[in-house]
Amino acid sequence: MAGVLRSLGIEISPLRQGATVRVVGRGLRGIRRPTVTLHCGNSGTAARFLLGLLAGFPYTTRITGDASLRRRPMRRVTRPLSHMGASFHEENGDGLPMVVTGGALRPLSYQSVTASAQVKGALIFAGLVAGVAVSVTEPARSRDHTERMLQALGVSVDVTGFGVHVEPVETLPTFSVRVPGDPSAAAFLVGAGLLADEGELVIEGVGMNPTRTGFLEVLRRMGADVETLETSQVLGEPVGDLVVRPSRLSGAEIAEAEVPSLIDEVPILAVVASRAEGETVFRGVGELRVKESDRLSLLAQNLRRLGVEAEAGEQTLTVRGAERPPRGVVETALDHRLAMAFAVLGTVRGSDVRLSEDRSPLVSYPLFFGDLRSVVHRG
C-alpha cells in the first residue's frame, strides 16, 4: 500500500517495526499521474481501494499484483465504478492485471450482492475524490472502519441498517493516530490460549470494532473463556484488551449472517473446532474459495490429513472434533492464514504438525512465530 501511494506522489516515511509513520497527503484531488505499473503485492485491500481512488482521476493506470492476488475477483468493484463513469480494461478476465481510466464521476446508489468492506470502501473513496455522493447497501453488515474514520474526521456519513450514504467534502483534516492491534492477528493468539493446558493470556490494545469481533461471539458459544476489556476509542474505533484462558469447547453452528464479521477468522475457528467436542458447521463461507487460496477446500483437506473429520461443501464447512493429537503435513498453498492457523494447532500437547512452508505469515504478521512461541507453555 505504501509503495503504490508513493508512486502517486504521496510522501510516506519508511515502515519500520516500532517506528512512527508519517504520511504527507496531497489533498482529495491532488494525486499525481502514475508513470509506472502499480504493484499491489498480495494485498486485496490495496488493489480494490486503489481502483476506487484512481476512478476519480483523468489518468490511465495499470495495476497488478502477485500470482495469488491476480486470481482474486475484481469485477465486484469495477462494475459499480463503471456505473459511476470509470472504464476498465481487463488483461486476465475477472482479475489483475487491469488498466483503469478515470475521470469525472457520477453519484452512485448501489445495491451490492456481496457484503464486502473492500467494495464499499472503494466506492466511498471514489465518491470522495470525485466530489460526488455515494450510497451503498449490502446484504449484511460488513466491516465499517472506513465509515467510522470518516465520521471521526467530520465527514457526513449516514449509516442505516445495512446501508451507508457519504456526502462529498472539500478537504479532510490531518490527524495523529495510534493504530489499534489487528483483531484478525489477535485471533490466532486467542486460539493458542484456548488450546493451552494452563495459564492466562492477555493481549493488549486490540481493535474491538463489532464488525470484526464475530469470532469472539462464536468462541463464547463454544464455551471459550475470553474476556474483553474496552479501554479507549481511536478515530471512532473501540480498543481494548483480551483475556484468554484455556477452555473445554463444544461444537457450534455459524450462520451465514455472521460470516462477514469473521470471514478471515474461519481458519483459526476451524482449527479450534477440531479440538472441540462434537460437530461445528460453518454456513455461507463460499467466499473462502476466492481468498489467497481456496481456503475452504484446503481447510478440510488439511484437517483430514491431521486425523480430523472435515468436509467442505460449495458454501459450507463441517468439522468434527477429535481427541487424539493432530499429526501430519499441512499444505499451506502460501496462504498466511492457513499457515498461522495450523501452526496454532501444532501447539496442542502431543501434536506433530508440519507446515509446507513458514514464510507466508510475513505478509500480514511478521512476528507471528515469535509471538506464538512466547505465549505457549508446555508442562
Side-chain angles (χ1 to χ4, degrees), residues 124-314:
I124 289 172
F125 288 141
L128 286 174
V129 297
V132 298
V134 167
S135 297
V136 182
T137 303
E138 302 177 286
R141 188 183 184 200
S142 68
R143 300 171 180 186
D144 66 354
H145 300 298
T146 304
E147 300 96 294
R148 286 173 179 260
M149 177 185 67
L150 292 175
Q151 283 179 320
L153 295 177
V155 177
S156 175
V157 179
D158 181 29
V159 178
T160 306
F162 298 152
V164 58
H165 177 83
V166 181
E167 286 288 331
V169 293
E170 286 301 314
T171 60
L172 292 174
T174 59
F175 59 92
S176 178
V177 63
R178 183 176 181 85
V179 180
D182 178 24
S184 292
F188 297 102
L189 302 183
V190 170
L194 293 174
L195 298 182
D197 295 326
E198 59 183 3
E200 179 180 272
L201 173 64
V202 179
I203 309 171
E204 299 178 335
V206 180
M208 297 290 188
N209 185 311
T211 65
R212 295 292 303 280
T213 54
F215 76 98
L216 292 175
E217 301 307 314
V218 169
L219 289 173
R220 290 189 180 109
R221 289 208 307 269
M222 297 174 73
D225 186 352
V226 182
E227 186 179 358
T228 56
L229 307 172
E230 186 174 328
T231 58
S232 62
Q233 289 260 338
V234 176
L235 277 184
E237 297 277 349
V239 181
D241 301 337
L242 294 174
V243 183
V244 187
R245 302 175 186 91
S247 305
R248 185 172 180 80
L249 304 171
S250 300
E253 182 163 322
I254 293 85
E256 182 175 1
E258 298 178 90
V259 171
S261 70
L262 52 77
I263 187 67
D264 285 337
E265 290 73 58
V266 171
I268 186 60
L269 287 173
V271 157
V272 169
S274 76
R275 306 304 299 169
E277 182 178 348
E279 183 176 272
T280 298
V281 181
F282 300 82
R283 303 194 184 279
V285 289
E287 179 73 9
L288 290 175
R289 295 192 180 278
V290 291
K291 293 292 186 179
E292 285 82 343
S293 68
D294 181 349
R295 280 185 190 155
L296 193 54
S297 294
L298 283 169
L299 277 169
Q301 292 170 17
N302 284 316
L303 286 170
R304 290 196 295 267
R305 288 177 180 176
L306 300 179
V308 178
E309 291 185 53
E311 295 101 32
E314 195 60 36

Side-chain angles (χ1 to χ4, degrees), residues 29 32 47 55 70 75 112 137-138 143 201 210 256 312 315:
R29 299 168 184 92
R32 186 176 65 194
R70 291 197 299 272
R75 286 178 189 158
S112 178
T137 303
E138 302 177 286
R143 300 171 180 186
L201 173 64
E256 182 175 1
Q315 292 285 335

Side-chain angles (χ1 to χ4, degrees), residues 359-370:
R359 292 190 57 79
S360 55
L362 292 172
V363 306
S364 62
Y365 192 166
L367 303 181
F368 170 71
F369 287 107

Side-chain angles (χ1 to χ4, degrees), residues 38 46-57 59-64 73-106 108 119 122-123 125-127 129:
L38 302 180
R48 289 168 176 153
F49 280 8
L50 194 61
L51 288 169
L53 190 68
L54 290 172
F57 289 89
Y59 308 148
T60 295
T61 310
R62 186 172 184 267
I63 304 173
T64 191
M74 295 293 158
R75 286 178 189 158
R76 57 184 58 183
V77 177
T78 59
R79 279 173 177 158
L81 289 173
S82 297
H83 295 327
M84 297 181 75
S87 64
F88 301 89
H89 172 68
E90 298 175 345
E91 299 179 18
N92 184 35
D94 184 11
L96 302 179
M98 181 178 294
V99 176
V100 51
T101 302
L105 300 182
R106 298 180 288 272
L108 178 72
V119 174
L123 300 179
F125 288 141
V129 297

